[in-house]
Amino acid sequence: MSVIWYTLWFVVAVGLLVTVHEFGHFWVARRLGFKVLRFSVGFGPPLFSWRVGRADPTEIAIAPIPLGGYVKLLDEREGPVAPEDLPRSFTRKPPWQRILVLLAGPGFNFIFAILVLAGVLWVNGITRYLPVVGVVTPGSIAAKAGLVSGDRILAINGAAVDGQHEVLFGLLDAMSSRGNADLTVRGSNGATRNVDLDVRSEAARRHLTVDPLGGLGFQFWVPAIPPVLSQVRPDGPAARAGLRGGDRIVSVDGHAVKDWQNLVAQITPHPGTTISLTYLREDAAHTVQVEVGTAKVGGKYVGRIDADGPTEISYPASMMRHRSVSAAAALASAGTQAWSMTALQGRLFWRMLLGQVSLKNLSGPVSIAEYAGQSASAGVTSFLGFLVLISLSLGFLNLLPIPILDGGQIVFQLVEWVKGSPMSERAQALGAQVGIALLILLMGVALYNDIARQFS
């Protein structure tokens, strides 16, 4: 996909979610009688602006830097305020009202995520793919623990699971905590048994937080995927060899290719070498030489040709559970899922600060733009799912007690409420400097991860 495509959907996603966030501040502030001077989507000098409200106008602005936004409230600390407007100044309002305004931004992000997810579930129903084990890597942690292909995972540390996402999140939670996951599984013979995945090494546990399944050494069962190229990335090995989307690979170096998984298995062991690919295009067979690219995955180098397989995977009815839900049930399920994802995000962030979760999990604007473009290409439902995840993350991050974020400002208001007077300007300025430093550090790590992913 092109950089323009990624950038377009990144701007759409960030612009929408920032608008939702800032509208939360704006709406609650107006309802509580604060004077709102400006509602800006984006940073920098306004590209477009207009005023709404005759008796009590607010400037609405669109600015050129689409990485945030702000709601500017009347504040006597920033300049003279007319005597008649003093009761509507931010500093003159009671602390509990200021806190509600600050909470409204993250709150609207959570509400938006829940409503969008509820809409998706109401329209599409709830589909769960059964967590049945597929390939188990010989000699891996999973193999040594006794996990075998065909096992269906029923519970993790006593908590029942009935879908692949629940297993993935459960393993991520367990490995980042104690490094132990006691799986209750049902084998292909119908017998139930326990499989103990125990990782003692702290470094190994941290590595597992990047790729839990791959690190443990197993994957979920997936149906056989035809070895047909759905997309060939420009300037990659496949593109340079003349391969195009729609080509069906039939052999690698003379060895027949059964499905997509088999194709990947034949290419990955040969980084930096030249292989012979035979493919079908419009029922005609062709053979080309492909110089296999190299990528570093999990500490080792593997072969890549920069081509994607089919995006739609058709599961048999026996391997999935689908049910339609009412609007009320969809809303309840969306609320439960949003809470679970946010709580897990909070635990993982805390463990990241303690060094138990790898910093490689932090993603910056480059990775987010890629996810936005890829999800948009996969369809409306996929893009809406992406918006749900990012909206929940935006709400959570803004509640962190970092002074220049909503969470940090809430802390200042709570302190004032308790002590009966504002914190000193010096303390607030120091807090702002610390907050900026922390954000720069986080953004620096995230950007480094983005760059490292591009060059890997």
Side-chain angles (χ1 to χ4, degrees):
M1 296 178 196
S2 69
V3 173
I4 295 176
W5 179 261
Y6 288 146
T7 303
L8 169 66
W9 289 105
F10 174 76
V11 171
V12 169
V14 172
L16 175 60
L17 297 181
V18 165
T19 301
V20 168
H21 181 94
E22 299 304 333
F23 181 76
H25 292 311
F26 169 79
W27 189 82
V28 173
R30 291 288 293 247
R31 293 302 176 278
L32 292 176
F34 289 76
K35 186 173 181 62
V36 183
L37 302 177
R38 175 183 286 178
F39 176 175
S40 176
V41 177
F43 294 123
L47 296 174
F48 310 99
S49 67
W50 61 96
R51 290 186 176 276
V52 296
R54 293 182 179 179
D56 186 21
T58 296
E59 181 187 11
I60 308 297
I62 306 296
I65 304 175
L67 295 178
Y70 61 91
V71 169
K72 182 177 178 60
L73 304 177
L74 184 68
D75 193 328
E76 59 192 294
R77 295 171 298 181
E78 299 179 2
V81 174
E84 64 272 17
D85 285 333
L86 279 175
R88 303 183 64 196
S89 171
F90 182 81
T91 54
R92 296 298 179 98
K93 289 289 186 178
W96 68 268
Q97 290 190 1
R98 295 181 231 159
I99 291 172
L100 285 180
V101 171
L102 291 166
L103 284 172
F108 269 52
N109 281 126
F110 291 128
I111 293 170
F112 174 82
I114 291 170
L115 292 178
V116 170
L117 181 55
V120 170
L121 296 179
W122 186 28
V123 171
N124 297 334
I126 298 176
T127 301
R128 298 188 185 279
Y129 299 98
L130 300 187
V132 175
V133 176
V135 176
V136 178
T137 305
S140 65
I141 297 170
K144 292 177 180 178
L147 198 65
V148 297
S149 179
D151 285 343
R152 177 180 170 182
I153 302 173
L154 304 175
I156 299 176
N157 291 332
V161 293
D162 63 355
Q164 294 181 3
H165 280 95
E166 289 181 344
V167 171
L168 181 60
F169 291 150
L171 289 175
L172 182 59
D173 197 10
M175 289 300 131
S176 64
S177 177
R178 301 181 305 276
N180 178 269
D182 183 19
L183 308 184
T184 302
V185 304
R186 180 184 297 126
S188 53
N189 60 358
T192 301
R193 69 185 193 281
N194 281 20
V195 174
D196 187 26
L197 302 177
D198 190 23
V199 182
R200 302 295 178 87
S201 166
E202 184 176 334
R205 291 201 301 268
R206 195 160 45 243
H207 173 70
L208 285 174
T209 61
V210 179
D211 179 16
L213 298 187
L216 291 169
F218 78 95
Q219 299 294 330
F220 292 124
W221 180 90
V222 294
I225 304 171
V228 177
L229 307 183
S230 65
Q231 179 178 290
V232 176
R233 287 167 229 161
D235 301 324
R240 290 195 294 270
L243 292 167
R244 300 200 305 249
D247 292 342
R248 184 184 185 94
I249 311 300
V250 295
S251 70
V252 177
D253 287 336
H255 301 289
V257 173
K258 298 180 295 183
D259 50 39
W260 182 262
Q261 295 93 323
N262 181 243
L263 173 63
V264 172
Q266 293 197 49
I267 291 176
T268 51
H270 304 292
T273 64
T274 300
I275 60 175
S276 175
L277 284 184
T278 300
Y279 63 94
L280 294 178
R281 179 183 297 168
E282 298 178 352
D283 296 327
H286 308 271
T287 301
V288 293
Q289 302 299 306
V290 181
E291 296 180 1
V292 180
T294 301
K296 190 175 182 180
V297 178
K300 64 179 181 179
Y301 292 97
V302 298
R304 290 284 189 267
I305 63 171
D306 289 347
D308 298 324
T311 55
E312 296 293 331
I313 302 176
S314 180
Y315 278 78
S318 61
M319 293 297 295
M320 56 188 293
R321 299 288 182 267
H322 177 83
R323 61 186 176 93
S324 299
V325 293
S326 66
L331 185 61
S333 179
T336 300
Q337 291 185 46
W339 167 253
S340 297
M341 286 188 284
T342 303
L344 176 60
Q345 186 173 208
R347 292 195 297 273
L348 293 178
F349 187 83
W350 175 248
R351 291 168 189 169
M352 186 180 294
L353 296 179
L354 297 178
Q356 296 173 315
V357 172
S358 174
L359 290 174
K360 293 181 180 179
N361 287 285
L362 285 175
S363 294
V366 176
S367 294
I368 295 173
E370 288 182 346
Y371 300 149
Q374 291 166 1
S375 65
S377 296
V380 174
T381 299
S382 179
F383 185 68
L384 291 177
F386 165 79
L387 288 179
V388 168
L389 292 175
I390 299 301
S391 192
L392 291 174
S393 296
L394 184 60
F396 169 78
L397 289 174
N398 269 279
L399 287 177
L400 293 177
I402 297 176
I404 65 172
L405 298 179
D406 294 328
Q409 294 301 312
I410 289 171
V411 171
F412 286 167
Q413 306 312 316
L414 287 172
V415 170
E416 178 178 340
W417 200 358
V418 171
K419 68 191 291 280
S421 61
M423 293 177 62
S424 68
E425 291 185 7
R426 180 179 179 183
Q428 293 188 48
L430 178 61
Q433 292 172 355
V434 171
I436 292 172
L438 287 174
L439 280 184
I440 291 175
L441 178 61
L442 286 174
M443 291 173 63
V445 173
L447 187 58
Y448 172 81
N449 288 341
D450 280 354
I451 296 171
R453 290 186 189 106
Q454 296 301 313
F455 283 96
S456 66

